[in-house]
Amino acid sequence: MSFPITRHRRLRGTAGIRGMVRETVLNTLDFIQPIFVTYGTGVKSEIGSMPGVYHFSLDMLKAEVDEIAALGIPAVLLFGIPETKDAIGTSGFADDGIVQEATRLIKQWYPELLVVADTCLCEFTDHGHCGMVHTHVVDGVVHGDVINDASLELLTRTAVSQAKAGADIIAPSNMMDGFVQAIRTGLDENGFEHVPIMSYSVKYASAFYGPFREAADSAPQFGNRKTYQMDPANLREAIREADSDVLEGADMLMVKPALAYLDVIRTIRDQFDLPLVAYNVSGEYSMVKAAALQGWIDEQAVVLEMLTGMKRAGADIIITYFAKDAARWLRG
């Protein structure tokens, strides 16, 4: 059949009909809200490049968590900014580290709220890289190589300390080869067989991370992360990375960033049957916020369309700095 008998517009005529045949539906249960926790007291400091996103000291954290829980958002993702840093990121795996302390508090306040712990070293190392580095100086310029296997031991210690503090999900974002197997083994050996791993399986060396590096104070002090994060031009490599993580015991897979990588999300969705996470990253957030502040776009409409696109591409879960706003809009 063809026009005039077939009229596709019949299913678009009213809001009721459009809702009835809608193929992709956003739900507040899809979202994870990131939180940046820091040392000190009385700190609620807006991040300059991320309007509406704040650093919270532990004594200021509860109001934020209260709001997240009241909106029905099921999970938070914790990033920590420590008071001191060193070459191996000691404060990342310290029992009294900032992420560990925040985790304990959140689980006291809201036992059912899922705490996802970002497992990386970049926020805790003085050089800003995601693992141990071997440095050398050539013509007065510092160069460094990230040491893969030695970094795995430190990342495993970090994951175990986060699980001991009460983290419900470990989310390693370091992109070291073999990190899922190392962390899975460490968790199991310490009695945390029940704690799932949400692996940053497909993490690109992206230009969209700029605002996050301000937020987490994690910019590399030399070089870049292109030797361990993925080349944005590559798609087949994403399948290899995800396949390795599945074989090593990952429980969930992630693609990061999301907006410029919807084809990657769809490819990973089609290739693997594990739950799939899309990370709507800081640069994607800040671009929308900047345009909205200028009055150039309808922020609500753009954000909900963008998040719907990520879910339509195949994401089951979306990490987004828009989680609170999106939850309010969906309620409305």
Side-chain angles (χ1 to χ4, degrees):
M1 295 289 190
S2 62
F3 183 82
I5 297 173
T6 298
R7 292 181 180 266
H8 301 290
R9 290 181 56 186
R10 291 188 187 116
L11 299 183
R12 303 170 191 159
T14 67
I17 292 175
R18 291 192 298 272
M20 181 181 294
V21 301
R22 185 162 293 132
E23 300 171 19
T24 305
V25 179
L26 277 179
N27 189 300
T28 300
L29 295 177
D30 300 332
F31 302 142
I32 298 175
Q33 174 71 53
I35 301 178
F36 295 95
V37 290
T38 191
Y39 57 91
T41 58
V43 178
K44 181 184 177 182
S45 176
E46 189 171 37
I47 298 161
S49 57
M50 299 180 70
V53 179
Y54 296 82
H55 291 127
F56 295 96
S57 56
L58 296 180
D59 61 313
M60 301 294 286
L61 181 59
K62 189 170 187 299
E64 175 73 358
V65 179
D66 286 345
E67 183 180 10
I68 291 167
L71 288 167
I73 296 167
V76 297
L77 174 61
L78 290 183
F79 296 101
I81 298 88
E83 188 169 14
T84 61
K85 302 187 179 194
D86 60 27
I88 62 171
T90 303
S91 54
F93 48 82
D95 287 340
D96 60 352
I98 188 69
V99 169
Q100 288 81 353
E101 294 289 358
T103 299
R104 292 186 187 97
L105 288 173
I106 293 170
K107 296 307 291 184
Q108 287 175 21
W109 299 329
Y110 293 98
E112 299 306 313
L113 183 66
L114 296 175
V115 173
V116 184
D118 179 79
T119 306
C120 196
L121 298 177
C122 60
E123 300 118 285
F124 307 101
T125 55
D126 52 14
H127 48 72
H129 281 283
C130 301
M132 291 181 64
V133 299
H134 170 69
T135 59
H136 54 282
V137 180
V138 178
D139 297 329
V141 178
V142 177
H143 298 268
D145 301 310
V146 177
I147 307 169
N148 192 93
D149 293 6
S151 300
L152 295 179
E153 180 181 350
L154 299 178
L155 292 161
T156 300
R157 290 177 66 183
T158 302
V160 170
S161 74
Q162 292 168 337
K164 285 181 179 177
D168 298 285
I169 298 171
I170 298 299
S173 60
N174 53 86
M175 288 298 285
M176 298 295 110
D177 289 336
F179 70 92
V180 173
Q181 179 177 326
I183 290 172
R184 182 73 273 159
T185 300
L187 290 172
D188 291 355
E189 288 177 348
N190 285 274
F192 297 108
E193 301 94 339
H194 62 286
V195 175
I197 295 175
M198 176 190 288
S199 175
Y200 285 65
S201 302
V202 181
K203 182 178 179 180
Y204 286 91
S206 172
F208 284 96
Y209 302 150
F212 175 89
R213 291 178 180 172
E214 176 191 349
D217 188 25
S218 63
Q221 298 303 298
F222 54 83
N224 54 54
R225 297 184 177 135
K226 293 182 179 180
T227 62
Y228 48 100
Q229 294 178 359
M230 285 178 52
D231 185 339
N234 292 355
L235 175 59
R236 295 191 302 272
E237 183 184 3
I239 301 173
R240 299 197 298 271
E241 286 279 4
D243 189 52
S244 293
D245 287 0
V246 171
L247 292 173
E248 291 175 23
D251 299 282
M252 291 176 264
L253 304 176
M254 187 189 302
V255 175
K256 178 183 181 183
L259 194 58
Y261 297 87
L262 296 177
D263 61 323
V264 182
I265 294 172
R266 171 45 55 189
T267 298
I268 299 301
R269 171 76 292 145
D270 290 343
Q271 292 285 330
F272 303 95
D273 61 1
L274 290 181
L276 181 57
V277 184
Y279 197 145
N280 177 209
V281 299
S282 60
E284 298 166 354
Y285 172 88
S286 296
M287 288 193 304
V288 172
K289 279 290 185 182
L293 288 170
Q294 291 293 325
W296 295 337
I297 60 172
D298 178 333
E299 180 179 358
Q300 176 177 335
V302 166
V303 170
L304 293 179
E305 182 177 341
M306 183 170 64
L307 298 177
T308 299
M310 294 169 195
K311 191 169 182 183
R312 188 183 66 245
D316 302 293
I317 301 163
I318 303 172
I319 301 170
T320 177
Y321 302 97
F322 287 114
K324 292 191 298 179
D325 288 335
R328 291 189 193 96
W329 295 330
L330 290 174
R331 279 187 175 186

